[in-house]
Amino acid sequence: MRTRMGHTSLYNRMNRVFLIVGLFVGLWICGCGRAVAAASAPADTLAAVSAEAAEILAEPVDSLWARANAAYSRGEFRQAAAGYEAVLERGEHSTKLYYNLGNSWFKQGRMGKAILNYNRALLLDPTDEDTQYNLAMAQVRIVDKIDTVPEFFLKTWLRNLGLMLGTNTWAVLGLVFLGATFGAVLLWLLSGRLALRKWGFYGGVICAVLCVGSTFYADFQRKRLLHGREAVVMNLMAPVKSAPGAGSKDIFVLHEGTKVRMLDRLDGWTEIVLSDGNKGWIASNAIEAIVPAAAETEAGDRHSAEGGVR
């Protein structure tokens, strides 16, 4: 037999609502809140220092930017790179800045520095198609062609899904789905119609799953920005040793532009692993971390690298 909700039943349901809301807020603070707070982290962790830019440090940032763009337009790519790096020294960081700096090095034939800066640009905006295209162009020109160890297709798909959006976007989506979850829970608890309560229950479950997924990907992107362990070979040739030390046996040689993953550091040597699974030790000064902090602790038109600057 069906009965209508009395005042006592409504009061008990409202108490359940407040308990559930409190639980979701606590989960959000522990998870996605960290990702939102880290939105400014790239400005602190993706700094690059150039001695060539020291002579122009007294200039305003806008002037440095304009002068670097002008130098690039004139084909003075070395001066353009120095200007962009001087802007980096002032604490300015953006996808556009790293993109232009990568293009400047690309034009000088320095594929290592070009690939390094394209990867730094993609850390800030993984969806930037111009940067992806130019990075692919630069990778074609490097010597080492290393195969990737096959992995389960679902793992690859899930990782690529996370790279489709940046930290802030995933965090905002998490907040949206969190709000939708609250709304669905209220509908489930307070509605007097069975059909609406079913919609509220199933909608709440779906929105909760999407909220957790968005929070996970926001944290995934945050960790990439703060604790990435990838690096790029900067030397034209860099021997990889079987153990840390100049006297150790050479097991293979890497060339400029090859990307590696850092595992450990010891007395000026870094243990690395390649995408094909090969490991070894390389001189630390022969590589540069895409996220500099990882090595320390263990708006214009858009063109391709063949076209110009943004």
Side-chain angles (χ1 to χ4, degrees), residues 48-55 57 78 81-86 88-89 105:
V49 179
S50 171
E52 294 181 0
E55 300 177 358
L57 284 177
R78 186 170 179 273
Y84 292 132
E85 289 184 341
L88 289 175
E89 289 181 359
W105 288 116

Side-chain angles (χ1 to χ4, degrees), residues 32 59 63 70 83 114 123 167-168 171 192 198 205 232 260 310:
C32 200
E59 292 187 41
S63 176
L123 279 179
T167 304
N168 289 348
K198 286 183 177 180
V205 171
V232 178
V260 301
R310 295 182 179 180

